[in-house]
PDB file of all heavy atoms in Angstrom:
ATOM      1  N   SER J   8     -57.183 -41.637 -37.205  1.00 43.00           N
ATOM      2  CA  SER J   8     -56.056 -42.539 -37.022  1.00 43.00           C
ATOM      3  C   SER J   8     -55.693 -43.190 -38.331  1.00 43.00           C
ATOM      4  O   SER J   8     -56.444 -43.117 -39.294  1.00 43.00           O
ATOM      5  CB  SER J   8     -56.383 -43.608 -35.966  1.00 43.00           C
ATOM      6  OG  SER J   8     -57.507 -44.326 -36.396  1.00 43.00           O
ATOM      7  N   PRO J  33     -56.191 -29.391 -30.718  1.00 93.00           N
ATOM      8  CA  PRO J  33     -55.480 -30.586 -30.184  1.00 93.00           C
ATOM      9  C   PRO J  33     -53.974 -30.325 -30.013  1.00 93.00           C
ATOM     10  O   PRO J  33     -53.363 -29.571 -30.754  1.00 93.00           O
ATOM     11  CB  PRO J  33     -55.743 -31.654 -31.276  1.00 93.00           C
ATOM     12  CG  PRO J  33     -55.942 -30.889 -32.511  1.00 93.00           C
ATOM     13  CD  PRO J  33     -56.632 -29.591 -32.114  1.00 93.00           C
ATOM     14  N   PRO J  63     -54.128 -21.417 -34.859  1.00 93.00           N
ATOM     15  CA  PRO J  63     -53.295 -22.585 -35.068  1.00 93.00           C
ATOM     16  C   PRO J  63     -54.201 -23.800 -35.300  1.00 93.00           C
ATOM     17  O   PRO J  63     -55.247 -23.963 -34.676  1.00 93.00           O
ATOM     18  CB  PRO J  63     -52.507 -22.701 -33.760  1.00 93.00           C
ATOM     19  CG  PRO J  63     -52.531 -21.361 -33.132  1.00 93.00           C
ATOM     20  CD  PRO J  63     -53.857 -20.751 -33.536  1.00 93.00           C
ATOM     21  N   ARG J  96     -29.346 -12.095 -53.155  1.00 91.00           N
ATOM     22  CA  ARG J  96     -27.891 -12.176 -53.248  1.00 91.00           C
ATOM     23  C   ARG J  96     -27.258 -12.355 -51.837  1.00 91.00           C
ATOM     24  O   ARG J  96     -26.327 -13.122 -51.644  1.00 91.00           O
ATOM     25  CB  ARG J  96     -27.331 -10.944 -53.918  1.00 91.00           C
ATOM     26  CG  ARG J  96     -27.544 -10.911 -55.424  1.00 91.00           C
ATOM     27  CD  ARG J  96     -26.636  -9.892 -56.073  1.00 91.00           C
ATOM     28  NE  ARG J  96     -26.782  -8.558 -55.523  1.00 91.00           N
ATOM     29  CZ  ARG J  96     -27.676  -7.653 -55.940  1.00 91.00           C
ATOM     30  NH1 ARG J  96     -28.482  -7.944 -56.966  1.00 91.00           N
ATOM     31  NH2 ARG J  96     -27.766  -6.461 -55.397  1.00 91.00           N
ATOM     32  N   ASP J 132       0.666 -26.349 -40.081  1.00 88.00           N
ATOM     33  CA  ASP J 132       1.885 -26.764 -40.745  1.00 88.00           C
ATOM     34  C   ASP J 132       2.832 -25.586 -41.015  1.00 88.00           C
ATOM     35  O   ASP J 132       4.038 -25.720 -40.834  1.00 88.00           O
ATOM     36  CB  ASP J 132       1.522 -27.461 -42.068  1.00 88.00           C
ATOM     37  CG  ASP J 132       2.759 -27.870 -42.851  1.00 88.00           C
ATOM     38  OD1 ASP J 132       3.446 -28.811 -42.395  1.00 88.00           O
ATOM     39  OD2 ASP J 132       3.003 -27.267 -43.914  1.00 88.00           O
ATOM     40  N   LEU J 133       2.258 -24.426 -41.390  1.00 88.00           N
ATOM     41  CA  LEU J 133       3.091 -23.250 -41.638  1.00 88.00           C
ATOM     42  C   LEU J 133       3.750 -22.785 -40.332  1.00 88.00           C
ATOM     43  O   LEU J 133       4.934 -22.382 -40.326  1.00 88.00           O
ATOM     44  CB  LEU J 133       2.229 -22.133 -42.226  1.00 88.00           C
ATOM     45  CG  LEU J 133       2.978 -20.824 -42.519  1.00 88.00           C
ATOM     46  CD1 LEU J 133       4.033 -21.045 -43.588  1.00 88.00           C
ATOM     47  CD2 LEU J 133       1.968 -19.748 -42.982  1.00 88.00           C
ATOM     48  N   PHE J 145      10.775 -22.520 -43.250  1.00 85.00           N
ATOM     49  CA  PHE J 145      11.626 -23.609 -43.704  1.00 85.00           C
ATOM     50  C   PHE J 145      10.782 -24.639 -44.419  1.00 85.00           C
ATOM     51  O   PHE J 145       9.564 -24.647 -44.323  1.00 85.00           O
ATOM     52  CB  PHE J 145      12.364 -24.255 -42.498  1.00 85.00           C
ATOM     53  CG  PHE J 145      13.304 -23.302 -41.805  1.00 85.00           C
ATOM     54  CD1 PHE J 145      12.870 -22.499 -40.750  1.00 85.00           C
ATOM     55  CD2 PHE J 145      14.636 -23.199 -42.194  1.00 85.00           C
ATOM     56  CE1 PHE J 145      13.726 -21.640 -40.109  1.00 85.00           C
ATOM     57  CE2 PHE J 145      15.511 -22.326 -41.571  1.00 85.00           C
ATOM     58  CZ  PHE J 145      15.039 -21.529 -40.521  1.00 85.00           C
ATOM     59  N   ARG J 152      13.519 -27.312 -29.293  1.00 45.00           N
ATOM     60  CA  ARG J 152      14.789 -27.253 -28.567  1.00 45.00           C
ATOM     61  C   ARG J 152      14.551 -26.563 -27.209  1.00 45.00           C
ATOM     62  O   ARG J 152      13.516 -26.718 -26.597  1.00 45.00           O
ATOM     63  CB  ARG J 152      15.834 -26.526 -29.396  1.00 45.00           C
ATOM     64  CG  ARG J 152      16.259 -27.279 -30.655  1.00 45.00           C
ATOM     65  CD  ARG J 152      17.444 -26.657 -31.327  1.00 45.00           C
ATOM     66  NE  ARG J 152      17.870 -27.396 -32.485  1.00 45.00           N
ATOM     67  CZ  ARG J 152      17.466 -27.152 -33.718  1.00 45.00           C
ATOM     68  NH1 ARG J 152      16.609 -26.170 -33.937  1.00 45.00           N
ATOM     69  NH2 ARG J 152      17.872 -27.897 -34.726  1.00 45.00           N
ATOM     70  N   LEU J 191      34.078  -7.245 -16.499  1.00 72.00           N
ATOM     71  CA  LEU J 191      34.109  -8.666 -16.848  1.00 72.00           C
ATOM     72  C   LEU J 191      35.509  -9.268 -16.647  1.00 72.00           C
ATOM     73  O   LEU J 191      35.636 -10.381 -16.212  1.00 72.00           O
ATOM     74  CB  LEU J 191      33.681  -8.832 -18.308  1.00 72.00           C
ATOM     75  CG  LEU J 191      33.604 -10.268 -18.834  1.00 72.00           C
ATOM     76  CD1 LEU J 191      32.652 -11.101 -17.991  1.00 72.00           C
ATOM     77  CD2 LEU J 191      33.197 -10.287 -20.306  1.00 72.00           C
ATOM     78  N   SER J 195      36.117 -12.354 -14.127  1.00 74.00           N
ATOM     79  CA  SER J 195      36.615 -13.632 -14.613  1.00 74.00           C
ATOM     80  C   SER J 195      37.862 -14.067 -13.854  1.00 74.00           C
ATOM     81  O   SER J 195      38.114 -15.281 -13.699  1.00 74.00           O
ATOM     82  CB  SER J 195      36.934 -13.521 -16.098  1.00 74.00           C
ATOM     83  OG  SER J 195      35.789 -13.150 -16.841  1.00 74.00           O
ATOM     84  N   ARG J 200      34.904 -18.730  -4.795  1.00 78.00           N
ATOM     85  CA  ARG J 200      34.684 -18.326  -3.389  1.00 78.00           C
ATOM     86  C   ARG J 200      34.601 -16.820  -3.280  1.00 78.00           C
ATOM     87  O   ARG J 200      33.735 -16.267  -2.584  1.00 78.00           O
ATOM     88  CB  ARG J 200      35.793 -18.858  -2.517  1.00 78.00           C
ATOM     89  CG  ARG J 200      35.686 -18.493  -1.049  1.00 78.00           C
ATOM     90  CD  ARG J 200      36.821 -19.072  -0.213  1.00 78.00           C
ATOM     91  NE  ARG J 200      36.730 -18.636   1.150  1.00 78.00           N
ATOM     92  CZ  ARG J 200      35.970 -19.190   2.096  1.00 78.00           C
ATOM     93  NH1 ARG J 200      35.201 -20.209   1.751  1.00 78.00           N
ATOM     94  NH2 ARG J 200      35.963 -18.739   3.308  1.00 78.00           N
ATOM     95  N   CYS J 209      25.792  -1.715  -4.261  1.00 83.00           N
ATOM     96  CA  CYS J 209      26.704  -0.563  -4.359  1.00 83.00           C
ATOM     97  C   CYS J 209      26.617   0.220  -3.029  1.00 83.00           C
ATOM     98  O   CYS J 209      25.735  -0.011  -2.202  1.00 83.00           O
ATOM     99  CB  CYS J 209      26.321   0.312  -5.528  1.00 83.00           C
ATOM    100  SG  CYS J 209      24.666   1.000  -5.461  1.00 83.00           S
ATOM    101  N   GLN J 218      19.406   2.444   5.956  1.00 92.00           N
ATOM    102  CA  GLN J 218      18.456   3.448   6.424  1.00 92.00           C
ATOM    103  C   GLN J 218      17.035   2.873   6.531  1.00 92.00           C
ATOM    104  O   GLN J 218      16.308   3.139   7.503  1.00 92.00           O
ATOM    105  CB  GLN J 218      18.481   4.648   5.483  1.00 92.00           C
ATOM    106  CG  GLN J 218      17.619   5.827   5.938  1.00 92.00           C
ATOM    107  CD  GLN J 218      18.146   6.441   7.222  1.00 92.00           C
ATOM    108  OE1 GLN J 218      19.346   6.389   7.519  1.00 92.00           O
ATOM    109  NE2 GLN J 218      17.262   7.019   8.001  1.00 92.00           N
ATOM    110  N   ALA J 230       6.336   0.901  18.384  1.00 90.00           N
ATOM    111  CA  ALA J 230       5.114   0.143  18.641  1.00 90.00           C
ATOM    112  C   ALA J 230       5.159  -0.627  19.921  1.00 90.00           C
ATOM    113  O   ALA J 230       4.110  -0.859  20.562  1.00 90.00           O
ATOM    114  CB  ALA J 230       4.865  -0.812  17.435  1.00 90.00           C
ATOM    115  N   GLY J 233       6.210   0.387  25.191  1.00 90.00           N
ATOM    116  CA  GLY J 233       5.691   0.159  26.532  1.00 90.00           C
ATOM    117  C   GLY J 233       6.487  -0.920  27.266  1.00 90.00           C
ATOM    118  O   GLY J 233       6.564  -0.869  28.505  1.00 90.00           O
ATOM    119  N   LEU J 235       9.744  -2.057  25.862  1.00 91.00           N
ATOM    120  CA  LEU J 235      11.153  -1.804  25.585  1.00 91.00           C
ATOM    121  C   LEU J 235      11.722  -0.681  26.437  1.00 91.00           C
ATOM    122  O   LEU J 235      12.833  -0.790  26.953  1.00 91.00           O
ATOM    123  CB  LEU J 235      11.309  -1.488  24.089  1.00 91.00           C
ATOM    124  CG  LEU J 235      12.727  -1.170  23.597  1.00 91.00           C
ATOM    125  CD1 LEU J 235      13.643  -2.400  23.819  1.00 91.00           C
ATOM    126  CD2 LEU J 235      12.721  -0.751  22.135  1.00 91.00           C
ATOM    127  N   ALA J 247      24.381   3.215  35.995  1.00 95.00           N
ATOM    128  CA  ALA J 247      24.598   4.536  36.579  1.00 95.00           C
ATOM    129  C   ALA J 247      25.309   4.435  37.936  1.00 95.00           C
ATOM    130  O   ALA J 247      26.022   5.365  38.341  1.00 95.00           O
ATOM    131  CB  ALA J 247      23.280   5.273  36.713  1.00 95.00           C
ATOM    132  N   LEU J 255      25.716 -12.294  39.629  1.00 96.00           N
ATOM    133  CA  LEU J 255      26.030 -13.618  40.115  1.00 96.00           C
ATOM    134  C   LEU J 255      25.716 -14.645  39.051  1.00 96.00           C
ATOM    135  O   LEU J 255      24.721 -14.542  38.321  1.00 96.00           O
ATOM    136  CB  LEU J 255      25.232 -13.902  41.396  1.00 96.00           C
ATOM    137  CG  LEU J 255      25.458 -15.231  42.100  1.00 96.00           C
ATOM    138  CD1 LEU J 255      25.328 -15.052  43.623  1.00 96.00           C
ATOM    139  CD2 LEU J 255      24.494 -16.313  41.633  1.00 96.00           C
ATOM    140  N   THR J 284      35.277 -18.907  42.231  1.00 95.00           N
ATOM    141  CA  THR J 284      35.858 -20.135  42.734  1.00 95.00           C
ATOM    142  C   THR J 284      35.109 -21.335  42.253  1.00 95.00           C
ATOM    143  O   THR J 284      33.887 -21.297  42.000  1.00 95.00           O
ATOM    144  CB  THR J 284      35.895 -20.124  44.270  1.00 95.00           C
ATOM    145  OG1 THR J 284      36.461 -21.331  44.732  1.00 95.00           O
ATOM    146  CG2 THR J 284      34.496 -19.977  44.841  1.00 95.00           C
ATOM    147  N   LYS J 296      27.418 -35.094  30.649  1.00 94.00           N
ATOM    148  CA  LYS J 296      26.664 -34.087  29.875  1.00 94.00           C
ATOM    149  C   LYS J 296      26.933 -32.689  30.417  1.00 94.00           C
ATOM    150  O   LYS J 296      27.040 -31.738  29.625  1.00 94.00           O
ATOM    151  CB  LYS J 296      25.173 -34.408  29.931  1.00 94.00           C
ATOM    152  CG  LYS J 296      24.782 -35.665  29.188  1.00 94.00           C
ATOM    153  CD  LYS J 296      23.268 -35.877  29.237  1.00 94.00           C
ATOM    154  CE  LYS J 296      22.855 -37.123  28.461  1.00 94.00           C
ATOM    155  NZ  LYS J 296      21.370 -37.329  28.485  1.00 94.00           N
ATOM    156  N   HIS J 301      30.117 -27.068  30.519  1.00 93.00           N
ATOM    157  CA  HIS J 301      31.000 -26.093  31.191  1.00 93.00           C
ATOM    158  C   HIS J 301      32.437 -26.518  31.327  1.00 93.00           C
ATOM    159  O   HIS J 301      33.267 -25.784  31.855  1.00 93.00           O
ATOM    160  CB  HIS J 301      30.415 -25.712  32.567  1.00 93.00           C
ATOM    161  CG  HIS J 301      30.076 -26.881  33.450  1.00 93.00           C
ATOM    162  ND1 HIS J 301      30.958 -27.898  33.759  1.00 93.00           N
ATOM    163  CD2 HIS J 301      28.898 -27.191  34.078  1.00 93.00           C
ATOM    164  CE1 HIS J 301      30.383 -28.772  34.548  1.00 93.00           C
ATOM    165  NE2 HIS J 301      29.106 -28.384  34.745  1.00 93.00           N
ATOM    166  N   ARG J 302      32.780 -27.762  30.892  1.00 94.00           N
ATOM    167  CA  ARG J 302      34.138 -28.267  30.849  1.00 94.00           C
ATOM    168  C   ARG J 302      34.791 -28.337  32.263  1.00 94.00           C
ATOM    169  O   ARG J 302      35.994 -28.219  32.421  1.00 94.00           O
ATOM    170  CB  ARG J 302      35.026 -27.416  29.931  1.00 94.00           C
ATOM    171  CG  ARG J 302      34.562 -27.382  28.501  1.00 94.00           C
ATOM    172  CD  ARG J 302      35.503 -26.575  27.625  1.00 94.00           C
ATOM    173  NE  ARG J 302      35.646 -25.217  28.077  1.00 94.00           N
ATOM    174  CZ  ARG J 302      34.786 -24.236  27.857  1.00 94.00           C
ATOM    175  NH1 ARG J 302      33.659 -24.479  27.171  1.00 94.00           N
ATOM    176  NH2 ARG J 302      35.006 -23.030  28.307  1.00 94.00           N
ATOM    177  N   GLU J 323      29.284 -11.817  52.235  1.00 95.00           N
ATOM    178  CA  GLU J 323      29.965 -10.515  52.294  1.00 95.00           C
ATOM    179  C   GLU J 323      29.956  -9.841  50.920  1.00 95.00           C
ATOM    180  O   GLU J 323      29.777  -8.621  50.822  1.00 95.00           O
ATOM    181  CB  GLU J 323      31.412 -10.718  52.757  1.00 95.00           C
ATOM    182  CG  GLU J 323      32.204  -9.409  52.852  1.00 95.00           C
ATOM    183  CD  GLU J 323      33.647  -9.676  53.269  1.00 95.00           C
ATOM    184  OE1 GLU J 323      34.021 -10.845  53.500  1.00 95.00           O
ATOM    185  OE2 GLU J 323      34.407  -8.691  53.346  1.00 95.00           O
ATOM    186  N   LEU J 346      22.112 -24.082  50.422  1.00 94.00           N
ATOM    187  CA  LEU J 346      21.848 -23.564  51.764  1.00 94.00           C
ATOM    188  C   LEU J 346      21.137 -24.596  52.632  1.00 94.00           C
ATOM    189  O   LEU J 346      21.391 -24.746  53.821  1.00 94.00           O
ATOM    190  CB  LEU J 346      21.036 -22.286  51.678  1.00 94.00           C
ATOM    191  CG  LEU J 346      21.794 -21.050  51.115  1.00 94.00           C
ATOM    192  CD1 LEU J 346      20.801 -19.975  50.771  1.00 94.00           C
ATOM    193  CD2 LEU J 346      22.818 -20.553  52.115  1.00 94.00           C
ATOM    194  N   HIS J 350      22.695 -26.096  56.163  1.00 91.00           N
ATOM    195  CA  HIS J 350      22.081 -26.052  57.478  1.00 91.00           C
ATOM    196  C   HIS J 350      21.775 -27.437  58.016  1.00 91.00           C
ATOM    197  O   HIS J 350      21.791 -27.661  59.237  1.00 91.00           O
ATOM    198  CB  HIS J 350      20.814 -25.211  57.441  1.00 91.00           C
ATOM    199  CG  HIS J 350      21.100 -23.738  57.258  1.00 91.00           C
ATOM    200  ND1 HIS J 350      21.639 -22.956  58.280  1.00 91.00           N
ATOM    201  CD2 HIS J 350      20.961 -22.907  56.207  1.00 91.00           C
ATOM    202  CE1 HIS J 350      21.802 -21.726  57.859  1.00 91.00           C
ATOM    203  NE2 HIS J 350      21.375 -21.658  56.599  1.00 91.00           N
ATOM    204  N   GLN J 361      19.643 -39.244  54.143  1.00 49.00           N
ATOM    205  CA  GLN J 361      18.412 -38.426  54.022  1.00 49.00           C
ATOM    206  C   GLN J 361      17.488 -39.043  52.975  1.00 49.00           C
ATOM    207  O   GLN J 361      17.953 -39.614  51.978  1.00 49.00           O
ATOM    208  CB  GLN J 361      18.746 -37.000  53.630  1.00 49.00           C
ATOM    209  CG  GLN J 361      19.443 -36.195  54.740  1.00 49.00           C
ATOM    210  CD  GLN J 361      18.528 -36.051  55.940  1.00 49.00           C
ATOM    211  OE1 GLN J 361      17.403 -35.587  55.822  1.00 49.00           O
ATOM    212  NE2 GLN J 361      19.001 -36.474  57.093  1.00 49.00           N
ATOM    213  N   ARG J 368      12.500 -27.088  52.044  1.00 85.00           N
ATOM    214  CA  ARG J 368      13.822 -26.604  52.318  1.00 85.00           C
ATOM    215  C   ARG J 368      13.909 -26.061  53.749  1.00 85.00           C
ATOM    216  O   ARG J 368      12.894 -25.690  54.360  1.00 85.00           O
ATOM    217  CB  ARG J 368      14.215 -25.501  51.314  1.00 85.00           C
ATOM    218  CG  ARG J 368      14.199 -25.955  49.872  1.00 85.00           C
ATOM    219  CD  ARG J 368      15.283 -26.978  49.599  1.00 85.00           C
ATOM    220  NE  ARG J 368      15.293 -27.380  48.189  1.00 85.00           N
ATOM    221  CZ  ARG J 368      14.756 -28.498  47.730  1.00 85.00           C
ATOM    222  NH1 ARG J 368      14.132 -29.326  48.577  1.00 85.00           N
ATOM    223  NH2 ARG J 368      14.821 -28.800  46.452  1.00 85.00           N
ATOM    224  N   TRP J 381      17.179  -8.911  45.482  1.00 95.00           N
ATOM    225  CA  TRP J 381      17.223  -9.481  44.134  1.00 95.00           C
ATOM    226  C   TRP J 381      16.626  -8.503  43.111  1.00 95.00           C
ATOM    227  O   TRP J 381      15.528  -7.981  43.291  1.00 95.00           O
ATOM    228  CB  TRP J 381      16.442 -10.787  44.073  1.00 95.00           C
ATOM    229  CG  TRP J 381      16.925 -11.805  45.062  1.00 95.00           C
ATOM    230  CD1 TRP J 381      16.370 -12.105  46.259  1.00 95.00           C
ATOM    231  CD2 TRP J 381      18.075 -12.624  44.973  1.00 95.00           C
ATOM    232  NE1 TRP J 381      17.082 -13.072  46.938  1.00 95.00           N
ATOM    233  CE2 TRP J 381      18.154 -13.410  46.158  1.00 95.00           C
ATOM    234  CE3 TRP J 381      19.080 -12.772  44.020  1.00 95.00           C
ATOM    235  CZ2 TRP J 381      19.167 -14.325  46.372  1.00 95.00           C
ATOM    236  CZ3 TRP J 381      20.080 -13.694  44.243  1.00 95.00           C
ATOM    237  CH2 TRP J 381      20.133 -14.473  45.408  1.00 95.00           C
ATOM    238  N   GLU J 382      17.356  -8.285  42.052  1.00 94.00           N
ATOM    239  CA  GLU J 382      16.849  -7.489  40.941  1.00 94.00           C
ATOM    240  C   GLU J 382      15.977  -8.353  40.009  1.00 94.00           C
ATOM    241  O   GLU J 382      15.946  -9.568  40.162  1.00 94.00           O
ATOM    242  CB  GLU J 382      18.004  -6.887  40.155  1.00 94.00           C
ATOM    243  CG  GLU J 382      18.496  -5.548  40.674  1.00 94.00           C
ATOM    244  CD  GLU J 382      17.507  -4.417  40.488  1.00 94.00           C
ATOM    245  OE1 GLU J 382      16.726  -4.473  39.507  1.00 94.00           O
ATOM    246  OE2 GLU J 382      17.484  -3.489  41.312  1.00 94.00           O
TER     247      GLU J 382
END
Side-chain angles (χ1 to χ4, degrees):
S8 58
R96 286 197 304 272
D132 177 69
L133 180 63
F145 297 90
R152 293 190 178 93
L191 182 59
S195 301
R200 179 179 176 83
C209 62
Q218 186 64 28
L235 180 62
L255 182 146
T284 179
K296 291 183 179 180
H301 51 54
R302 300 183 303 280
E323 181 183 359
L346 290 166
H350 288 288
Q361 289 297 306
R368 300 293 182 260
W381 305 99
E382 273 291 330

